[in-house]
Amino acid sequence: MKNLRAADGTDKNNVYRQLGLTMTCDHEKRVVVTEVQPPPPVGVMVVSGGGHTR
């Protein structure tokens, strides 16, 4: 967490975007709803009797 706190705004934005972070502010209720929806894994690994393949 210290690394992210110390990072510059561009780097933080990249991390938040990769995590799929959204924040919605409800001013009347005085709450912020935060959601993280990271993308699904890109690679799929299949294991067979002879080893593994991608």
Side-chain angles (χ1 to χ4, degrees):
M1 190 63 150
K2 288 181 184 180
N3 291 338
L4 187 57
R5 193 174 299 146
D8 75 347
T10 301
D11 290 337
K12 288 180 186 180
N13 188 42
N14 289 335
V15 170
Y16 298 151
R17 196 169 288 192
Q18 289 173 18
L19 290 172
L21 176 71
T22 59
M23 298 174 77
T24 306
C25 183
D26 185 330
H27 294 283
E28 291 179 11
K29 294 181 181 177
R30 298 181 57 150
V31 296
V32 176
V33 177
T34 306
E35 295 180 281
V36 178
Q37 296 179 348
V42 175
V44 176
M45 183 174 283
V46 177
V47 179
S48 66
H52 68 276
T53 59
R54 289 181 187 225

